[in-house]
Amino acid sequence: EVQLVESGGGSAQPGGSLRLSCEASGFTFSSYWMHWVRQTPGKGLMWVSRISGDGSSISYADPVKGRFIISRDNAKNTVYLQMNSLRAEDTAVYYCARSATAYNSFDPWGLGTLVTVSS
Amino acid sequence: DIVMTQSPDSLAVSLGEGATINCKSSQSVLYSSDNKNYLAWYQQKPGQPPRLLISWASTRESGVPDRFTGSGSGTDFTLTIGSLQAEDVAVYYCHQYFGIPLTFGGGTKVEIK
């Protein structure tokens, strides 16, 4: 069974950092692009970042560019999101998701991990 | 950025009746080289992550009931639920994967009347 499990969420102060992890199982991890998507009640779903199967191609959404870093360890079947200089507006549930190619739908999604940024 | 606009924001439908959700993109998501629309539909139930229903605008995913139908091309798309069942109560999102940043519609909440 294909499965994605996020971890690392929690509370942080503005300006702080968190590192999210997403462990994959049930498929050949290195063959897939991986994405981070966040969801807030007020602003819906927002794509955050993506990384290619070999880690050579990376993209970010403008609101997180320069603050967040996506990476992956194919030996550990895990994708990471290092979140620095956190802001209140980064508060959201963060999902990881898989896509077969750079431009493809997301399937499946993990259950998500909640990040709360507050003083 | 490609802006995805869904309508309506919410709708209430009687069990067994049909439901139609619209999604409009600010620019075409039809790629001329492969003649595919880079558009997906997801279903999200409370407390769950989104679930892929439809990809390439009209390709139903494995295990998705055939009462779910995706249609449209270019900039205008529709998700139709043929005969609403109780388990279809959810929020539905469209998603374009044509260009970066990848973007989603604001969601349509489907409830039972």
Side-chain angles (χ1 to χ4, degrees):
Chain A
E1 179 194 5
V2 174
Q3 198 168 11
L4 301 172
V5 179
E6 302 93 338
S7 60
S11 296
Q13 292 192 333
S17 298
L18 281 174
R19 188 198 198 200
L20 307 184
S21 300
C22 169
E23 186 171 357
S25 60
F27 64 99
T28 304
F29 183 67
S30 60
S31 297
Y32 288 84
W33 287 70
M34 296 299 296
H35 303 256
W36 287 98
V37 179
R38 69 188 186 189
Q39 184 171 34
T40 59
K43 290 200 170 185
L45 292 164
M46 189 195 92
W47 171 80
V48 172
S49 182
R50 72 177 185 184
I51 186 168
S52 61
D54 63 1
S56 63
S57 180
I58 287 173
S59 303
Y60 297 98
D62 283 348
V64 308
K65 203 170 291 183
R67 299 188 300 123
F68 289 11
I69 301 170
I70 191 171
S71 62
R72 66 190 296 160
D73 184 338
N74 286 344
K76 295 182 178 180
N77 287 352
T78 301
V79 60
Y80 304 97
L81 186 68
Q82 177 66 45
M83 309 166 65
N84 301 322
S85 303
L86 282 164
R87 304 168 179 167
E89 54 264 36
D90 295 321
T91 295
V93 174
Y94 284 74
Y95 296 101
C96 65
R98 179 189 79 164
S99 70
T101 64
Y103 295 94
N104 215 313
S105 53
F106 296 167
D107 181 47
W109 299 52
L111 293 179
T113 188
L114 176 62
V115 171
T116 303
V117 183
S118 173
S119 55
Chain B
D1 297 7
I2 299 176
V3 177
M4 308 299 289
T5 303
Q6 285 184 237
S7 63
D9 292 337
S10 64
L11 72 162
V13 179
S14 300
L15 288 172
E17 297 295 306
T20 299
I21 301 168
N22 301 299
C23 175
K24 188 175 184 65
S25 58
S26 61
Q27 64 187 74
S28 177
V29 298
L30 174 63
Y31 189 39
S32 56
S33 294
D34 60 12
N35 201 37
K36 287 184 174 182
N37 287 284
Y38 283 54
L39 188 286
W41 289 97
Y42 301 90
Q43 174 193 65
Q44 187 176 31
K45 297 181 179 181
Q48 296 183 17
R51 170 199 178 197
L52 177 64
L53 296 178
I54 304 277
S55 59
W56 310 113
S58 61
T59 301
R60 196 181 301 115
E61 294 300 306
S62 176
V64 175
D66 60 9
R67 63 181 178 272
F68 291 93
T69 302
S71 62
S73 185
T75 61
D76 292 279
F77 301 90
T78 299
L79 176 68
T80 302
I81 307 174
S83 174
L84 193 76
Q85 305 298 304
E87 61 264 31
D88 300 335
V89 169
V91 179
Y92 293 85
Y93 295 93
C94 60
H95 164 218
Q96 68 80 17
Y97 45 95
F98 182 88
I100 295 295
L102 310 175
T103 52
F104 295 85
T108 296
K109 187 174 184 178
V110 174
E111 299 173 306
I112 304 295
K113 186 187 292 183

